[in-house]
């Protein structure tokens, strides 16, 4: 589709009208009704610049919009708040035309000034956004602050021009991230630090109630700019709900989707019961579960120690803990992600070899450390298996079983020596190998509040990542993916992680829920695309 011309003077019109990549709603869909979703933990924030876990991801996506979006249930890009866009021939300038008449939940119409404010805000270090690194290609990013991004320009009330410092093959995906959501300055400034509890966006739903520790209620945005959606009148998110209890309530018809999924202890029972299995939706996901080792905390600053930990973990046994709902991982990328290195076996399970590496590192008697883990089943059981594997080579790991938000906070602060990522494990924000690097393995993510919990930073690999993402010409796609493969092999050589498994997603829904299965395992709106599901009665 992109007729790339090697002249910076030529502007390539890539105007994508919404109809060209739009979605055909379910003709049987009925408007109205309320659904109930359950979660064990409360929601940390609904601020799109801050929220970065699977629990609040789809909530934020239903409250806010960005310039770009995805066709529901797929990884296919489509225009969002941008009605169309153009890309210059050198891949450095993106000009977005905004949809007229889009309103925020407070009733004010959105303009190009709001787009600029939102991008300036998410990249300002004072915001401490874990997603700031995604915008590193925008000109002026290195000087981002109260003065805003020099590369984001308001042309007129409905036109925004974004200039990049380098071509970025992933930039349109970045514009579809929650972090790129458009927010109104007046609402952010009025709420201050509480904007995450008082969100105002342009999305299909708006926050009607939030009783901390109990529930959140979203109600339909009657002025939503996409015609016909959402179908639901409201969504009730009940928090503090144990997953086993949520499953029982779903069986009674009191819950529509158990947000934490099928409890592992009940998985065999559910799948063995035809009536319950009929409510299960299975979908592949761009996911890797891993153990991080903070390379700034001794003795994880020693490569031999990190390799020893990789060789100590029995991944096959851990997969069995989750009823075989995954495959052992050999590298950061999952098998379904472009750029995955076929044939790479990873570190072998070799406790004796691991002991030798520790001895060579001067730690023949082992050492003591801490392993942080989210306290939702099966993660504590997985952490216990990891603890046992580490003990077998002389590493005594004390488990810190905490709520998701507390583990994320410790990881961002750099105070956790080791973290088992389960329940928070990386699911790609967009289907490109770049997304598994920048925020969780690149230098940009190894900052206070960042998602790179290993605090691993290799400038040489960062430079290769920039090179790979500068290959925006589709003709160089194979070359680009080969470079990404080399980057991840470089990561594995330095071993800041133990990639453990690649998991599939199993979701349940009540009998009254309507909409195609893909909406319930949406690869972007994780775990459910609330904008398009509906109730049958």
């Amino acid at each position: 589709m992109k007729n790339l011309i090697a002249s910076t003077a030529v502007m390539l019109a890539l105007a994508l009208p919404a109809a060209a990549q739009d979605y055909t709603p379910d003709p049987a869909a009925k408007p109205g009704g309320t659904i109930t979703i359950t979660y064990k933990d409360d929601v940390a924030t609904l601020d799109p610049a801050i929220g970065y876990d699977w629990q609040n991801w789809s909530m934020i996506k239903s409250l806010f919009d960005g310039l770009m979006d995805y066709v529901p249930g797929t990884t296919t890009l489509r225009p969002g708040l941008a009605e169309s866009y153009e890309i210059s021939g050198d891949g450095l300038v993106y000009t977005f035309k905004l949809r007229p008449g889009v309103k925020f939940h407070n009733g004010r119409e959105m303009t190009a000034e709001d787009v600029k404010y939102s991008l300036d805000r998410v990249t300002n270090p004072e915001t401490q956004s874990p997603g700031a690194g995604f915008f590193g290609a925008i000109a002026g990013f290195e000087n981002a602050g109260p003065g805003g991004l020099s590369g984001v320009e308001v042309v007129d009330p409905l036109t925004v021009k974004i200039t990049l410092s380098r071509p970025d093959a992933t930039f349109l995906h970045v514009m579809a991230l929650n972090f790129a959501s458009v927010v109104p300055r007046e609402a952010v400034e009025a709420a201050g630090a509480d904007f995450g509890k008082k969100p105002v966006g342009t999305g299909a739903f708006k926050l009607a109630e939030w009783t901390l520790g109990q529930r959140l209620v979203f109600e339909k945005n009657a002025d939503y700019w996409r015609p016909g959606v959402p179908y639901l009148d409201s969504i009730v998110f009940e928090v503090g709900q144990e997953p086993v209890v949520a499953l029982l309530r779903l069986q009674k018809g009191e819950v529509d989707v158990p947000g934490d999924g099928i409890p592992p202890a009940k998985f065999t029972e559910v799948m063995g019961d035809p009536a319950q299995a009929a409510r299960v939706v299975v979908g592949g996901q761009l996911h890797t579960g891993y153990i991080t080792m903070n390379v700034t905390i001794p003795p994880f600053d020693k490569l031999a120690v990190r390799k020893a930990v990789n060789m100590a973990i029995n991944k096959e046994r851990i997969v069995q803990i989750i009823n075989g709902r995954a495959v052992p991982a050999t590298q950061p990328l999952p098998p379904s992600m472009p750029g995955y290195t076929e044939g790479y076996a990873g570190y072998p399970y070799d406790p004796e070899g691991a002991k030798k590496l520790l001895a060579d590192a001067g730690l023949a008697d082992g050492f003591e450390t801490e392993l942080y883990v989210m306290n939702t089943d099966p993660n504590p059981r997985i952490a216990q298996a990891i603890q046992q594997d580490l003990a077998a080579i002389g590493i005594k790991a004390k488990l810190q079983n905490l709520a998701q938000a507390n583990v994320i906070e410790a990881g961002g602060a750099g105070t956790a020596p080791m973290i088992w990522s389960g329940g928070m494990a990386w699911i790609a924000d967009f289907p490109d190998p770049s997304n598994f690097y920048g925020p969780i393995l690149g230098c940009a993510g190894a900052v206070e509040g960042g998602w790179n919990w290993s605090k691993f930073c290799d400038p040489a690999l960062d430079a290769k990542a920039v090179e790979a993402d500068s290959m925006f010409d589709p003709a160089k796609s194979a070359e680009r993916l080969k470079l990404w493969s080399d980057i991840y092999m470089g990561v594995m050589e330095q071993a800041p992680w133990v990639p453990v498994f690649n998991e599939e997603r199993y979701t349940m829904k009540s009998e009254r829920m309507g909409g195609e299965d893909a909406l319930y395992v949406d690869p972007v709106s994780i775990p459910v695309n609330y904008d398009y599901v509906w109730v049958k009665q």
Side-chain angles (χ1 to χ4, degrees):
M1 181 176 69
K2 298 179 182 178
N3 179 27
L4 298 171
I5 302 174
S7 169
T8 59
V10 180
M11 175 69 76
L12 298 179
L14 293 179
L16 284 182
Q21 293 189 12
D22 218 334
Y23 176 74
T24 303
D26 188 335
K30 302 176 181 178
T34 297
I35 64 172
T36 300
I37 315 294
T38 61
Y39 285 104
K40 182 178 186 294
D41 293 325
D42 206 347
V43 177
T45 181
L46 291 173
D47 184 340
I50 305 298
Y52 204 13
D53 61 68
W54 66 272
Q55 181 175 333
N56 64 19
W57 194 256
S58 60
M59 294 184 188
I60 290 172
K61 198 161 283 294
S62 285
L63 294 172
F64 297 90
D65 298 301
L67 296 179
M68 298 297 294
D69 186 21
Y70 292 90
V71 175
T74 78
T75 57
T76 302
L77 278 166
R78 67 171 178 173
L81 294 177
E83 194 169 53
S84 63
Y85 61 84
E86 295 176 344
I87 307 176
S88 63
D90 59 2
L92 292 178
V93 181
Y94 289 69
T95 304
F96 294 93
K97 292 289 185 181
L98 306 184
R99 298 176 189 274
V102 174
K103 293 182 179 180
F104 287 112
H105 297 154
N106 62 9
R108 179 173 69 77
E109 287 197 9
M110 179 206 67
T111 71
E113 290 286 354
D114 297 305
V115 177
K116 176 167 174 55
Y117 168 74
S118 301
L119 294 176
D120 288 346
R121 175 178 181 256
V122 75
T123 53
N124 186 340
E126 293 181 3
T127 304
Q128 293 189 6
S129 171
F134 283 116
F135 303 92
I138 298 178
F141 174 81
E142 66 280 1
N143 298 315
L149 292 165
S150 61
V152 181
E153 176 187 348
V154 174
V155 178
D156 60 50
L158 291 177
T159 308
V160 179
K161 183 169 72 173
I162 301 177
T163 301
L164 307 185
S165 58
R166 63 178 189 271
D168 182 0
T170 72
F171 188 66
L172 290 177
H173 285 292
V174 171
M175 290 294 98
L177 288 173
N178 284 359
F179 299 116
S181 297
V182 179
V183 300
R185 178 194 290 266
E186 69 274 16
V188 174
E189 293 182 347
D194 288 333
F195 184 67
K197 296 289 191 292
K198 301 175 181 179
V200 177
T202 62
F205 291 92
K206 52 187 177 181
L207 179 65
E209 174 193 335
W210 189 344
T211 304
L212 294 180
Q214 297 182 33
R215 70 179 201 162
L216 299 86
V217 179
F218 287 9
E219 65 179 23
K220 180 176 184 174
N221 176 10
D223 292 326
Y224 191 47
W225 55 271
R226 284 197 190 277
V229 291
Y231 299 111
L232 300 172
D233 287 335
S234 60
I235 309 171
V236 177
F237 298 95
E238 296 185 0
V239 300
Q241 186 79 83
E242 290 293 335
V244 172
V245 176
L247 176 62
L248 292 173
R249 293 185 62 207
L250 182 140
Q251 293 166 349
K252 295 178 182 178
E254 299 172 358
V255 166
D256 294 295
V257 178
D260 293 307
I262 305 169
K266 294 287 187 179
F267 181 75
T268 302
E269 173 189 320
V270 167
M271 299 307 292
D273 178 355
Q276 293 190 72
R279 303 179 196 173
V280 175
V281 181
V282 184
Q285 54 188 344
L286 299 171
H287 163 282
T288 299
Y290 52 91
I291 304 164
T292 61
M293 290 169 278
N294 189 326
V295 301
T296 69
I297 297 179
F300 297 115
D301 55 343
K302 295 184 178 182
L303 177 58
V305 172
R306 301 196 299 270
K307 288 186 174 182
V309 172
N310 267 273
M311 294 167 65
I313 305 304
N314 186 341
K315 300 175 185 179
E316 294 281 358
R317 181 167 71 117
I318 293 174
V319 167
Q320 291 310 307
I321 292 174
I322 59 169
N323 305 108
R325 290 182 289 174
V327 295
T330 64
Q331 56 196 284
L333 289 184
S336 54
M337 177 69 85
Y340 178 83
T341 305
E342 297 287 349
Y344 174 68
Y347 290 93
Y349 171 53
D350 182 2
E352 293 306 314
K355 289 179 183 178
K356 183 177 185 306
L357 283 174
L358 287 184
D360 292 344
L363 294 163
D365 296 329
F367 59 92
E368 296 183 1
T369 188
E370 291 181 322
L371 174 63
Y372 283 63
V373 57
M374 180 180 166
N375 59 10
T376 300
D377 190 61
N379 297 303
R381 291 189 290 124
I382 291 174
Q384 288 171 1
I386 295 169
Q387 182 186 45
Q388 292 165 7
D389 287 343
L390 294 175
I393 66 168
I395 300 176
K396 298 175 183 176
K398 180 181 178 181
L399 300 185
Q400 296 288 354
N401 292 281
L402 303 171
Q404 180 184 54
N406 298 113
V407 178
I408 293 171
E409 181 181 10
T415 56
M418 302 180 75
I419 297 177
W420 161 243
S421 71
M424 309 160 294
W426 198 253
I427 301 176
D429 299 287
F430 50 82
D432 188 277
S434 172
N435 184 228
F436 261 74
Y437 182 81
I440 52 176
L441 286 163
C443 297
V447 296
E448 176 77 23
W451 208 259
N452 183 345
W453 298 335
S454 67
K455 304 304 177 184
F456 170 75
C457 173
D458 184 317
L461 291 180
D462 263 28
K464 287 186 178 180
V466 170
E467 180 185 351
D469 281 345
S470 297
M471 298 178 180
F472 73 106
D473 184 345
K476 294 185 177 180
S477 176
E479 181 183 346
R480 177 174 180 267
L481 293 180
K482 174 61 170 63
L483 182 54
W484 271 119
S485 172
D486 293 344
I487 291 167
Y488 286 108
M489 291 301 95
V491 169
M492 288 306 298
E493 177 58 33
Q494 298 189 57
W497 282 13
V498 181
V500 178
F501 58 56
N502 305 116
E503 190 176 0
E504 287 197 306
R505 185 142 48 97
Y506 287 72
T507 298
M508 289 190 75
K509 60 179 180 176
S510 67
E511 292 180 343
R512 71 192 194 109
M513 292 304 299
E516 60 184 332
D517 283 354
L519 298 173
Y520 295 88
V521 286
D522 192 301
V524 177
S525 294
I526 299 165
V528 178
N529 190 319
Y530 299 114
D531 297 6
Y532 288 85
V533 299
W534 50 280
V535 293
K536 299 175 183 176
Q537 55 188 16

